[in-house]
Amino acid sequence: MDVDAAGRAEAARRSGAPEEPGEAAPAAEPQAFLRELATHLGLLAQEAAQQAARPAPAPAVGAPPAEEAVGPGVRYLHGLDSISAAIEEALGSVRRDILTAQPDGARPSAVLKDALESVRRQISAGIAMRTLYQHTTRFDEATKEYVRAVTEHGAQVRTLEEFFDRLIIVDDTAFISANEDRTTAISITEPTIVRFLRDTFDKAWDRAEPFPFVPLHAAKAAAEVVPAIRESISRLLVEGYSDKVIARRMGISERSLQAHVAALKQELGAYNRLQLGYLLGRYDAFR
């Protein structure tokens, strides 16, 4: 058989056609076909397993932009430097007022010192300023001294047992946190949202208590605010929040929270946390 004939014969064999006209094709063997198919599938499975075992290359992820517009009047600010720069820019052109809500309890004395200088400049320029803290700041000496100083300049400070997350409103621009560790914020200039946030702040302000103008002894501060603190702790316990979440929302340490829980247990005659939760829920239901 010449080369061309051999080629035609090989093609005919692969296609299942007779090798020569009029020549019958041999009967196909299903078992042989299935064995060949199984072999190919096995090789594919082996290759897939090897590919899966290889470490995938890390995707190339660039650093997010410092600012990212996500809609009309709404910008994401990534990173503390970007957040600080945006707030400073807003403060530099403030005309009317500054509203701030600072949760999480007492702030570092160095932060308060820097804030005091800023408050002095703003108040002297005729800017109104209102600040909300949590009740627990009444036990912090640095915060008490700061409040006494800023109120002497004309700022107003009040405290609540619990309120919303950090909020800063400078005229018609609002800043709110966008993640738990507050490394991302949102700058808002959309009038409807800013108006809503102002209204939220004002309602919290109306419920808040004026911060003492002079430092008070801890015992006197406790008599003024501890009942409200424990009432909020009781409510959060009944709602099933963890100690970590409750402590964060109240602006206290988990150790301080445990002390309040122990006092509540003693007050209600509870022997353990389970009984305390039951008694608190029962008390709340009949209140």
Side-chain angles (χ1 to χ4, degrees):
M1 182 182 295
D2 58 19
V3 175
D4 292 340
R8 289 194 300 273
E10 177 64 16
R13 186 186 67 78
R14 290 184 179 182
S15 65
E19 293 185 5
E20 297 292 341
E23 187 175 305
E29 297 185 14
Q31 293 83 359
F33 170 76
L34 292 175
R35 283 195 297 271
E36 184 177 359
L37 178 62
T39 300
H40 283 296
L41 291 176
L43 291 173
L44 288 173
Q46 183 179 358
E47 176 64 20
Q50 291 173 350
Q51 291 282 357
R54 298 189 188 108
V61 179
E67 297 185 10
E68 180 184 1
V70 294
V74 179
R75 288 185 303 153
Y76 271 88
L77 306 171
H78 300 285
L80 298 179
D81 291 341
S82 177
I83 296 170
S84 298
I87 294 175
E88 287 298 323
E89 181 182 358
L91 291 173
S93 58
V94 61
R95 303 180 309 278
R96 299 191 311 273
D97 63 350
I98 301 169
L99 311 178
T100 61
Q102 302 286 0
D104 297 343
R107 304 171 72 195
S109 57
V111 173
L112 293 174
K113 183 178 179 180
D114 291 341
L116 178 58
E117 294 304 316
S118 176
V119 169
R120 285 174 177 164
R121 293 194 303 269
Q122 303 296 347
I123 294 295
S124 63
I127 304 301
M129 184 174 295
R130 288 185 289 159
T131 296
L132 275 173
Y133 287 128
Q134 289 180 282
H135 282 336
T136 50
T137 58
R138 294 177 180 238
F139 302 101
D140 180 68
E141 292 300 324
T143 304
K144 288 190 288 186
E145 292 291 345
Y146 167 79
V147 170
R148 181 172 63 174
V150 298
T151 52
E152 288 175 353
H153 288 283
Q156 299 180 65
V157 182
R158 294 185 181 183
T159 65
L160 271 175
E161 68 276 11
E162 179 193 8
F163 54 86
F164 38 81
D165 203 351
R166 182 161 294 165
L167 168 66
I168 299 174
I169 302 177
V170 182
D171 286 344
D172 301 317
T173 302
F175 300 91
I176 60 175
S177 301
N179 59 356
E180 187 173 351
D181 60 6
R182 301 192 180 109
T183 56
T184 298
I186 301 177
S187 168
I188 303 167
T189 56
E190 205 288 319
T192 303
I193 303 177
V194 175
R195 185 166 58 250
F196 171 82
L197 293 172
R198 275 186 169 274
D199 184 60
T200 301
F201 181 95
D202 286 338
K203 288 178 179 177
W205 181 264
D206 291 340
R207 293 187 295 109
E209 297 290 337
F211 202 110
F213 287 90
V214 295
L216 296 175
H217 293 295
K220 186 171 182 180
E224 292 181 350
V225 300
V226 165
I229 292 174
R230 288 184 180 166
E231 184 176 352
S232 288
I233 290 174
S234 299
R235 175 176 52 80
L236 294 171
L237 285 172
V238 171
E239 291 176 1
Y241 289 99
S242 68
D243 286 2
K244 182 178 180 180
V245 172
I246 295 174
R248 176 180 172 85
R249 289 181 60 166
M250 299 304 302
I252 58 178
S253 66
E254 290 189 49
R255 183 176 179 179
S256 295
L257 173 63
Q258 294 297 332
H260 285 293
V261 170
L264 287 169
K265 286 166 60 179
Q266 183 177 7
E267 180 182 345
L268 295 178
Y271 294 100
N272 52 50
R273 290 284 290 267
L274 180 62
Q275 188 181 21
L276 175 63
Y278 168 76
L279 293 174
L280 288 173
R282 184 179 179 185
Y283 172 76
D284 188 63
F286 287 97
R287 189 169 50 178

